[in-house]
Amino acid sequence: MRILILGAGKMGTFFCDLLSFEHEVGVFDPDPKRLRFTYNTQRFSKLEEIQDFMPALVINAATVKYTLDAFKSVLPYLPETAILSDIASVKTGLPEFYASCGHPFVSTHPMFGPTFASLSNLANENAVIISEGDHLGKVFFKDLYNGLGLHIEEYTFAEHDETIAYSLSIPFASTLVFASVMKHQDAPGTTFKRHMGIAKGLMGEDDYLLSEILFNPHTTEQLGRIMEQLSELRDIVRDHDSEGMKHYLERVRRNLK
């Protein structure tokens, strides 16, 4: 299959490496310097070059800020039968775009990224495939993700957004709160250092991506839950409530099972 990948960032080059030995792969990036280290692929830095490539599948790996722009810019150069796909962690605007673009589509979300995951060992990672997508497109990505050993869940666009608010917004917000009150430690403990590593990794992500994940309409509810739990914990600590602390810790341990 001829596959065009939009964006030669970390995830774009990951998909290039993953697919290029079984498929004819081309990668487009308007910055030619980002194409220097792509291997075993055709490299395009001008949109007009894509027209002769005639991809059957387009994987949009542009950063979330430019996902829709990347699709719109490449549409005039694609065959009508090309399946459009995205791997975006934020699906804002994508259902509406797919409904009007005139192409079959498949939307997925690999629930891992280059900041924390080891892209060479993904056996304990997850992926989401959006149920509204094209059947053949979904089969392609199911086979691909199964080959990586990923656990796969199928959600609607709405279910995906709700899940992301829980699985990303809560840890993102908790990490931001930790980092916002953090002070330099000359002799940090192990737990502090681990939290510090997570915070530095998170803050290395794109500001737009962090904002869009937190602007998920379901995030406010999750933040309210965090605030309720912090308030309860504050009261227990303030009152030296040993019995309350015991019950609180028991509840937390149950959540971790």
Side-chain angles (χ1 to χ4, degrees):
M1 182 191 297
R2 283 189 176 181
I3 300 173
L4 175 67
I5 296 170
L6 303 179
K10 290 181 179 178
M11 290 302 287
T13 53
F14 167 73
F15 275 92
C16 281
D17 292 343
L18 184 63
L19 297 168
S20 63
F21 287 95
E22 295 185 14
H23 302 275
E24 188 176 350
V25 174
V27 56
F28 168 78
D29 197 294
D31 183 358
K33 293 181 180 179
R34 293 168 66 89
L35 298 169
R36 287 179 298 178
F37 303 111
T38 52
Y39 178 71
N40 200 35
T41 65
Q42 295 190 48
R43 294 176 283 189
F44 308 121
S45 58
K46 296 180 180 178
L47 288 166
E48 295 78 10
E49 298 171 322
I50 295 171
Q51 197 151 15
D52 292 334
F53 184 62
M54 299 283 289
L57 173 68
V58 178
I59 300 177
N60 191 336
T63 57
V64 67
K65 184 176 182 178
Y66 300 109
T67 301
L68 288 172
D69 288 340
F71 269 144
K72 292 173 182 177
S73 66
V74 78
L75 277 181
Y77 305 95
L78 299 177
E80 293 181 359
T81 55
I83 300 173
L84 304 184
S85 71
D86 74 273
I87 56 171
S89 54
V90 177
K91 304 298 185 185
T92 304
L94 283 168
E96 295 81 6
F97 169 77
Y98 286 134
S100 63
C101 71
H103 284 262
F105 75 91
V106 57
S107 183
T108 76
H109 182 184
M111 299 286 285
F112 57 85
T115 299
F116 296 115
S118 171
L119 297 183
S120 61
N121 182 16
L122 299 171
N124 295 318
E125 303 294 344
N126 303 290
V128 172
I129 296 178
I130 301 300
S131 59
E132 289 99 327
D134 174 78
H135 174 70
L136 292 178
K138 290 194 292 183
V139 169
F140 174 85
F141 278 98
K142 283 180 181 177
D143 290 344
L144 181 65
Y145 292 154
N146 276 324
L148 293 171
L150 298 174
H151 171 74
I152 300 171
E153 291 287 344
E154 189 165 321
Y155 296 145
T156 65
F157 276 116
E159 289 169 339
H160 170 269
D161 288 351
E162 188 173 351
T163 299
I164 293 307
Y166 181 81
S167 64
L168 290 184
S169 294
I170 287 180
F172 278 23
S174 300
T175 300
L176 288 172
V177 170
F178 164 78
S180 69
V181 299
M182 187 171 52
K183 294 182 180 180
H184 174 74
Q185 299 291 314
D186 292 320
T190 301
T191 302
F192 185 93
K193 287 191 289 185
R194 288 180 178 176
H195 277 280
M196 172 77 85
I198 292 173
K200 287 184 175 179
L202 181 67
M203 298 316 296
E205 295 283 6
D206 178 74
D207 286 0
Y208 183 88
L209 172 64
L210 296 177
S211 298
E212 287 300 295
I213 287 174
L214 291 170
F215 289 163
N216 182 314
H218 300 282
T219 297
T220 302
E221 178 185 350
Q222 302 300 337
L223 291 177
R225 295 178 62 202
I226 293 174
M227 294 170 69
E228 288 173 4
Q229 291 301 311
L230 281 173
S231 179
E232 180 180 352
L233 182 59
R234 180 198 59 194
D235 292 346
I236 291 171
V237 171
R238 181 195 61 206
D239 298 338
H240 290 232
D241 183 356
S242 298
E243 191 65 23
M245 180 62 79
K246 178 182 177 181
H247 292 313
Y248 191 90
L249 295 177
E250 287 175 350
R251 187 168 73 237
V252 170
R253 289 192 177 99
R254 286 197 300 270
N255 287 347
L256 295 174
K257 289 182 180 179

